[in-house]
Amino acid sequence: MIKKINKTIMILIDGLSFKTAFNEMGFLNHLVEKGIGALYKVETELPPLSRPLYETIFTGVVPCCSGITTNKSIRLSSNESIFHLARDKGLKTSASAYYFLSELYNKAPFDPICDREQMNEKNPIQYGKFYFEDSYPDSHVFVDGEILRKNYDPDFLLIHTMGMDYVGHIYGSNSKEYKAQAGIVDGLLAWFLTAWIDQGYHIIVTSDHGMRNDGLHQGTGEEERIIPLFCISNLFKPGYNDITIPQTAIAPMICEILGVNTSSKMISFNIKVFRNN
């Protein structure tokens, strides 16, 4: 276990397939090419739907065991998430995220008026700005996250965008609109990441699921299940890696970066496999 607390920013780009990330996100791939970042493939759990996979990403628990099996599973998680574990360790947690995350880890059901902004150190997500329209601009999500970072100095910050998913549902994954949205997110990352890297943050960029050209993501195809994992951190060997890891590995990996103990339900995952030394 890495004992040092490493402040971490996680960017969850909803609905981003590996193929699109590799082909369309020039800045992220520039970091990989220049030895600043690493890129891996992740195979998602089934079904490739947002709420069940958020639970898998943040708790390491698969849908059949978590009970969060559809996007209509509106209740608090019964599992310990990264947010719970970090808070219990005395770390600060924060999120600029879609309201599903609030319903999983803070309060369910979501009340747009009362729950849009949440500042409560007893919550797993202690400092949160939660949006509830899928069309909420990705630029606003990033700015909301940066405001939280500057105001509260969290040890773990989640920035969760919905633009890729929203555009993908309307136009499909082979559309110029979907590809252009990937460029928009990449540009936002180019805007913020340089400063975050300079300040010593460990940065994880991934997705929950991909997208089909018919605008759906509910099956078993590669376009739905294979997603990117960019790791911009000196804890990882930089470059392109011909490794596909399970989605259940993300939660214990981030716990190890943060220096907090994993839950009993998280799989064993040793970040040393990918270490830069």
Side-chain angles (χ1 to χ4, degrees), residues 36-234:
I36 299 170
L39 174 60
Y40 306 92
K41 289 182 179 179
V42 172
E43 183 175 54
T44 75
E45 291 296 324
L46 292 174
L49 300 172
S50 290
R51 196 187 296 254
L53 296 187
Y54 299 159
E55 174 74 348
T56 296
I57 290 167
F58 292 102
T59 70
V61 181
V62 300
C64 65
C65 296
S66 72
I68 307 294
T69 55
T70 78
N71 283 338
K72 294 184 179 180
S73 300
I74 304 172
R75 65 170 176 80
L76 285 173
S77 168
S78 60
N79 299 300
E80 289 183 295
S81 70
I82 299 168
F83 301 106
H84 292 84
L85 296 164
R87 177 204 60 188
D88 293 347
K89 181 75 171 180
L91 306 187
K92 290 183 184 179
T93 65
S94 189
S96 170
Y98 194 58
Y99 75 100
F100 280 13
L101 272 296
S102 175
E103 289 185 326
L104 280 169
Y105 305 119
N106 276 8
K107 177 185 173 186
F110 181 82
D111 183 327
I113 296 173
C114 297
D115 301 334
R116 171 74 172 93
E117 295 195 2
Q118 300 179 41
M119 312 298 164
N120 185 339
E121 292 187 357
K122 294 182 179 180
N123 284 342
I125 304 175
Q126 296 166 317
Y127 307 100
K129 291 180 180 287
F130 299 98
Y131 60 98
F132 48 88
E133 297 287 353
D134 291 22
S135 58
Y136 189 68
D138 289 353
S139 58
H140 292 35
V141 181
F142 271 89
V143 170
D144 287 346
E146 182 66 353
I147 290 170
L148 290 167
R149 188 187 71 84
K150 288 190 172 183
N151 287 348
Y152 300 104
D153 191 27
D155 300 289
F156 179 57
L157 169 63
L158 168 67
I159 295 176
H160 170 217
T161 64
M162 287 292 290
M164 291 296 306
D165 189 71
Y166 178 71
V167 171
H169 281 305
I170 296 172
Y171 299 104
S173 60
N174 288 341
S175 67
K176 67 178 182 180
E177 289 86 358
Y178 182 78
K179 295 173 183 177
Q181 186 64 31
I184 290 171
V185 180
D186 191 60
L188 289 166
L189 289 165
W191 183 12
F192 287 102
L193 252 61
T194 302
W196 295 342
I197 293 168
D198 287 345
Q199 292 179 56
Y201 285 93
H202 300 261
I203 301 161
I204 303 296
V205 183
T206 190
S207 182
D208 53 346
H209 56 73
M211 184 70 64
R212 297 197 315 231
N213 194 41
D214 59 8
L216 301 176
H217 51 84
Q218 59 199 31
T220 62
E222 181 174 321
E223 67 271 36
E224 300 163 89
R225 296 195 70 186
I226 304 301
I227 58 172
L229 175 67
F230 291 92
C231 300
I232 301 142
S233 162
N234 60 10

Side-chain angles (χ1 to χ4, degrees), residues 10-11 20 29 32 37 78 80 85 94 117 130 157-158 192 226 228 230 242 246 250 260 264 268 275-276:
M10 180 180 185
I11 297 95
T20 300
N29 283 278
V32 177
S78 60
E80 289 183 295
L85 296 164
S94 189
E117 295 195 2
F130 299 98
L157 169 63
L158 168 67
F192 287 102
I226 304 301
F230 291 92
D242 188 22
I250 293 175
V260 302
S264 61
S268 177
R275 287 296 295 273
N276 194 22

